[in-house]
DNA sequence: CGTGCCTTTGAATCTGATCAAATTAGGTGG
DNA sequence: CCACCTAATTTGATCAGATTCAAAGGCACG
């Protein structure tokens, strides 16, 4: 028997949507996730959700908006280490590592669900498969870091930006937040720079190059990708590292 | 009652040594690890242990030598994404992600233990705490990637090299492979470059700068760190991200 | 005592940073 | 609905860190 209520919620619950994109969930497991006690919180743009050095007792699930993981260096420079979208749990690591070694902040007004570690642990104990899936999720996170490392270390600014746009487009698509040929990206050029190890000025120039070459159309925060194959080729983007189910 | 045989082996078993540095292990858990069926294999320098695209059925535990995780780009460039030393399991991720998105290769003749996924999973099922500890280990791996990202994105070549030397010194110390003021690093300048996103030529020049400034003494593969505090300061090295027990 | 890998040196070049300032866009209050 | 304010984008000019190319030493190993 299919639980209709469950299936209706499933679509609307970003975490089910996201986890469903990387593994199969049984109805029982879905229900367990829906049963998690959460407190929803709205976070304004540029406000931290978790800070470097914190010892969180909850995990943060992004429900709407756009969030990033970053660290501020002694000289004030910022390195953004990942963008997180609805369905993501940017500080899932806090379940196993007591102290945060980076901050998580909102790029735009976002809503997040706080899930107590205690409830999460209890659920994982009851459903070992969910434990595996969340572990898997943190490993995919790590794979994204590695892919960014490759960009930072060995790819040109032009390739790096193309690659990041591809990654975001694919990830947004898996949670239904992108059209086939584009998406909304509320990320400033300054933030792109902090993520890709580039200056804002250079990001701006390279974006212009990408536009000139017909690889992207960018109006405000609306990204359109006229030729997906081409952009993918430029960015050497191969989605294998996202480990999505086919 | 303390099991003497266990305790003798514990010191010599690099995996116990390593896991012991990030979490507490009960005697039962230690014994379970020692009981893992392994097949030991010697790998020559510059030979791959696991390759990009593989679907491994074993995990690789480094017993001796020096190993790295890397990826080759379409244009032939290589990005090294991590160095692995005795006690490390560079492809632990393969337990949860079926296809490898990078290769693991030996930098020098190394010996590794192959541990079947099946045995590992069985052990983790019996000892949930070990499951947590291995998850934790992969999260620390991810934290190292992030720290490298910061270097690649925002730190100068001079800082980046200093930081890497600090990281390796600390990690080697935790498994008893470093003296207080130095260690052996069988890493060529070319490999440093591929790890840090620098050309071999530039690595060479920066190493000379570090020597000139009295921060390191490097003869062959022997690294000596005359002033740990100073090197740490230059590299902005803060070991928090390694999440070691105090 | 070669031979091959690794390190070192030199010179020219380039990608991307920095600094400074103008323009545009988005959001707010009158 | 417009004026204003701030944040974001864009432009120009100069500078620097790191790359590339080429070639010469050094060192270890057979």
């Amino acid at each position: 028997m299919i639980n209709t209520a469950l299936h209706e919620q499933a679509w609307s619950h970003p975490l089910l949507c996201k986890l469903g994109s990387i593994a199969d969930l049984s109805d029982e497991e879905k229900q367990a996730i829906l049963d998690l006690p959460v407190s929803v919180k709205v976070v304004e743009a540029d406000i931290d959700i978790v800070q470097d050095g914190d010892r969180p007792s909850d995990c943060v699930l992004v429900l709407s908006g756009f969030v990033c993981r970053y660290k501020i260096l002694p000289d004030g420079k910022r390195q953004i280490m990942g963008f997180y979208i609805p369905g993501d749990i940017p500080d899932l690591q806090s379940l196993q590592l007591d102290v945060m070694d980076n901050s998580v902040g909102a790029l735009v007004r976002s809503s997040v669900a706080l899930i107590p570690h205690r409830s999460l642990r209890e659920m994982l104990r009851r459903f070992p498969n969910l434990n595996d899936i969340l572990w898997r999720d943190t490993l995919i996170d790590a794979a994204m870091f590695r892919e960014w490392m490759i960009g930072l270390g060995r790819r040109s600014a032009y390739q790096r930006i193309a690659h990041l746009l591809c990654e975001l487009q694919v990830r947004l698509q898996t949670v239904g937040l992108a059209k086939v040929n584009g998406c909304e990206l509320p990320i400033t050029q300054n933030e792109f720079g902090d993520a890709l190890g580039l200056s804002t000025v250079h990001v701006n120039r390279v974006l212009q190059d990408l536009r000139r070459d017909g690889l992207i159309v960018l109006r405000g925060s609306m990204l359109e990708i006229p030729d997906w194959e081409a952009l993918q080729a430029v960015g050497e983007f191969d989605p294998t590292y996202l480990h999505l189910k086919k």
Side-chain angles (χ1 to χ4, degrees), chain A residues 5-6 13-14 16 21 43 85 89 119 131 168 173 197 208 233 243:
Chain A
L6 169 67
H13 197 299
L16 289 185
S21 76
V43 185
I85 61 176
I89 305 179
S119 326
N131 195 315
L168 290 171
Q173 255 180 323
Q208 288 178 53
H243 296 274

Side-chain angles (χ1 to χ4, degrees), chain A residues 104-189:
Chain A
V104 174
L107 293 176
V108 293
R109 166 192 272 259
S110 306
S111 67
V112 299
L114 299 180
I115 312 173
H117 282 171
R118 198 166 19 77
S119 326
L120 218 35
R121 288 212 183 85
E122 201 175 305
M123 179 185 81
L124 299 184
R125 191 154 20 83
R126 285 201 300 137
F127 297 96
N129 189 42
L130 285 179
N131 195 315
D132 282 356
I133 292 172
L134 289 194
W135 185 354
R136 194 179 147 99
D137 184 54
T138 63
L139 287 167
I140 294 173
D141 221 35
M144 293 195 285
F145 299 145
R146 289 196 296 271
E147 200 60 31
W148 282 36
M149 281 182 61
I150 295 174
L152 288 165
R154 290 291 176 217
R155 287 199 260 255
S156 68
Y158 192 78
Q159 294 180 292
R160 249 180 269 183
I161 294 185
H163 192 280
L164 178 54
L165 296 178
C166 288
E167 179 182 306
L168 290 171
Q169 163 71 12
V170 167
R171 287 173 57 204
L172 286 166
Q173 255 180 323
T174 66
V175 286
L177 291 172
K179 293 172 296 173
V180 271
N181 66 335
C183 56
E184 201 196 334
L185 290 182
I187 302 176
T188 67
Q189 295 182 4

Side-chain angles (χ1 to χ4, degrees), chain A residues 3-209:
Chain A
N3 174 336
T4 319
L6 169 67
H7 278 258
E8 272 168 22
Q9 266 187 83
W11 273 116
S12 66
H13 197 299
L15 183 55
L16 289 185
C17 199
K18 194 267 173 67
L19 294 182
S21 76
I22 61 168
D24 290 313
L25 297 168
S26 73
D27 283 352
E28 260 194 323
E29 289 161 352
K30 285 181 191 168
Q31 194 58 57
I33 289 172
L34 290 172
D35 289 344
L36 282 170
V38 302
S39 64
V40 177
K41 199 173 126 187
V42 173
V43 185
E44 297 303 320
D46 298 315
I47 299 296
D48 280 347
I49 302 171
V50 189
Q51 292 190 313
D52 201 350
D54 278 0
R55 296 167 176 276
S57 55
D58 307 274
C59 279
V60 170
L61 164 65
V62 181
L63 295 175
S64 74
F66 233 90
V67 155
C68 78
R69 181 201 286 268
Y70 71 93
K71 192 160 177 170
I72 301 289
L73 303 202
D75 61 359
K77 285 181 191 156
R78 171 175 67 167
Q79 176 68 45
I80 291 179
M81 295 174 288
F83 293 112
Y84 295 89
I85 61 176
D88 288 333
I89 305 179
D91 66 341
L92 186 50
Q93 65 179 88
S94 65
L95 211 53
Q96 297 294 344
L97 298 175
D98 49 2
V99 57
M100 288 296 291
D101 52 39
N102 54 250
S103 302
V104 174
L107 293 176
V108 293
R109 166 192 272 259
S110 306
S111 67
V112 299
L114 299 180
I115 312 173
H117 282 171
R118 198 166 19 77
S119 326
L120 218 35
R121 288 212 183 85
E122 201 175 305
M123 179 185 81
L124 299 184
R125 191 154 20 83
R126 285 201 300 137
F127 297 96
N129 189 42
L130 285 179
N131 195 315
D132 282 356
I133 292 172
L134 289 194
W135 185 354
R136 194 179 147 99
D137 184 54
T138 63
L139 287 167
I140 294 173
D141 221 35
M144 293 195 285
F145 299 145
R146 289 196 296 271
E147 200 60 31
W148 282 36
M149 281 182 61
I150 295 174
L152 288 165
R154 290 291 176 217
R155 287 199 260 255
S156 68
Y158 192 78
Q159 294 180 292
R160 249 180 269 183
I161 294 185
H163 192 280
L164 178 54
L165 296 178
C166 288
E167 179 182 306
L168 290 171
Q169 163 71 12
V170 167
R171 287 173 57 204
L172 286 166
Q173 255 180 323
T174 66
V175 286
L177 291 172
K179 293 172 296 173
V180 271
N181 66 335
C183 56
E184 201 196 334
L185 290 182
I187 302 176
T188 67
Q189 295 182 4
N190 182 30
E191 286 153 359
F192 272 118
D194 284 347
L196 298 170
L198 300 169
S199 68
T200 310
V201 172
H202 203 234
V203 168
N204 181 274
R205 293 188 168 123
V206 173
L207 281 175
Q208 288 178 53
D209 292 343

